[in-house]
Amino acid sequence: MLDTQGRAIRYLRLSVTDRCNYRCLYCMGEDGVAKLPHSAILTFEELEEIARAAVACGVKKIRLTGGEPLVRRDLPRLCRRLRDIPGLEELDMTTNASLLPQYAQALKAAGLDRLNISLDSLAEDTFACLTRRGTLKEALAGLEAAEQAGFTGTKLNAVLIGGMNDREIPTLAALARDRDYSVRFIELMPIGECARWPRERFLPAQAVLDALPGLEPAGVSGVTELYRMPGWVGTVGLIRPMSHHFCAACDRIRVTADGMLKPCLHSALELPLRGLHGQALEQAIRQGILSKPQSHHMDTCRPSQSLRGMNEIGG
Ligand code: SAM
Ligand code: SF4
């Protein structure tokens, strides 16, 4: 379905939980989130119903996200249910990888197509400091488990944080040297925990091109600018929500774990979907698509207008 700007909305990011086993500095406070009762979170039945309605409205790709989606019990069962929706072309997940050693095989068997893995550092101490609760070892074990389970086309996402992981740009990018990874550098956005961080933390993705002058442009995929390093198997990507607004290419909507439709990540606008069924649910999704703003108005001085942090939205 087209929105009022003529953008075809094909992509739904579906959050299955606001909880997480990590506490990344830019995403969550040290104490995590005020725990919503289980009854406040969409059930698998509701998630499937929303997914079906979204597909009826033209969505072709769904990404499961969170919080950390894999802390939600029995997630492969949800994947199987969503994978069976006629018309859904792709079912993906974004994860911090820590629980993949446990779940990668079951996710693959359930029909999950692809994984995006968040990996902000390859230095043990920086990784531990950034995630507060994670270890690099478990994240790398997760990457390996994904490979063993047969996942291909895996994307590795690193949020660029000035003074924290910018020295690691060449090391992180080099993950694409021998394996078919797409290593994507994402500009830090002033939303939630990091909304008031000092400006020097918000690095433009140009820092990647400066650190790796050999990168050659290789086209665009969605909101990602792709680059190739001669001789490398994989690609390097830049996602620049801050320095290059890509709102004109935005094809996504989001649903939070408590059932609110967010037409734009950075807008305060939310539409309740819970309790709606059939035509009424589809109608609400269509209305959400039609109320998608033309663009966000965020920059390092003006934080996101979203009422929620990233762990509640799912990125
Ligand atoms: N827990 C999962 C993970 O970390 O991959 C999924 C949810 S997490 C909110 C989704 C993505 O949002 C992660 O790649 C994370 O790095 C990114 N993210 C969180 N806060 C961000 C921010 N302020 N700016 C840019 N990306 C952010
Ligand atoms: Fe958890 Fe992902 Fe947020 Fe880190 S970025 S705290 S892993 S939800």
Side-chain angles (χ1 to χ4, degrees), residues 160-190:
L160 279 171
I161 310 162
M164 296 206 79
N165 65 357
D166 43 333
R167 279 167 307 151
E168 293 189 56
I169 290 170
T171 342
L172 283 162
L175 289 166
R177 187 195 310 260
D178 301 320
R179 289 199 186 178
D180 188 21
Y181 289 135
S182 180
V183 179
R184 298 152 9 130
F185 293 92
I186 304 174
E187 289 177 347
L188 179 67
M189 296 178 277

Side-chain angles (χ1 to χ4, degrees), residues 123-281:
E124 275 177 36
D125 49 350
T126 309
F127 188 96
C129 165
L130 259 173
T131 60
R132 288 200 187 99
R133 298 192 173 182
T135 66
L136 178 63
K137 198 169 160 215
E138 70 196 4
L140 294 180
L143 244 68
E144 224 34 66
E147 186 110 352
Q148 293 294 321
F151 282 102
T152 55
T154 302
K155 296 173 184 164
L156 305 182
N157 292 339
V159 176
L160 279 171
I161 310 162
M164 296 206 79
N165 65 357
D166 43 333
R167 279 167 307 151
E168 293 189 56
I169 290 170
T171 342
L172 283 162
L175 289 166
R177 187 195 310 260
D178 301 320
R179 289 199 186 178
D180 188 21
Y181 289 135
S182 180
V183 179
R184 298 152 9 130
F185 293 92
I186 304 174
E187 289 177 347
L188 179 67
M189 296 178 277
I191 177 170
E193 278 302 307
C194 64
R196 314 228 167 264
W197 277 11
R199 278 201 208 178
E200 56 271 22
R201 293 277 188 237
F202 296 85
L203 275 192
Q206 177 63 35
V208 176
L209 302 178
D210 295 344
L212 297 163
L215 285 176
E216 296 171 353
V220 173
S221 168
V223 297
T224 310
E225 287 168 31
L226 291 176
Y227 293 84
R228 283 201 173 278
M229 186 68 95
W232 288 15
V233 180
T235 57
V236 173
L238 303 186
I239 301 180
R240 320 201 204 198
M242 303 298 293
S243 62
H244 289 50
H245 284 197
F246 48 57
C247 301
C250 181
D251 62 352
R252 56 191 70 181
I253 51 173
R254 297 167 165 85
V255 173
T256 63
D258 57 352
M260 301 299 281
L261 174 67
K262 276 185 77 73
C264 168
L265 170 58
H266 296 297
S267 155
L269 180 66
E270 299 187 345
L271 290 87
L273 297 184
R274 221 166 183 197
L276 301 178
H277 306 282
Q279 284 300 316
L281 180 56

Side-chain angles (χ1 to χ4, degrees), residues 50-51 96 169 190 282:
I50 289 172
N96 64 27
I169 290 170
E282 273 183 43

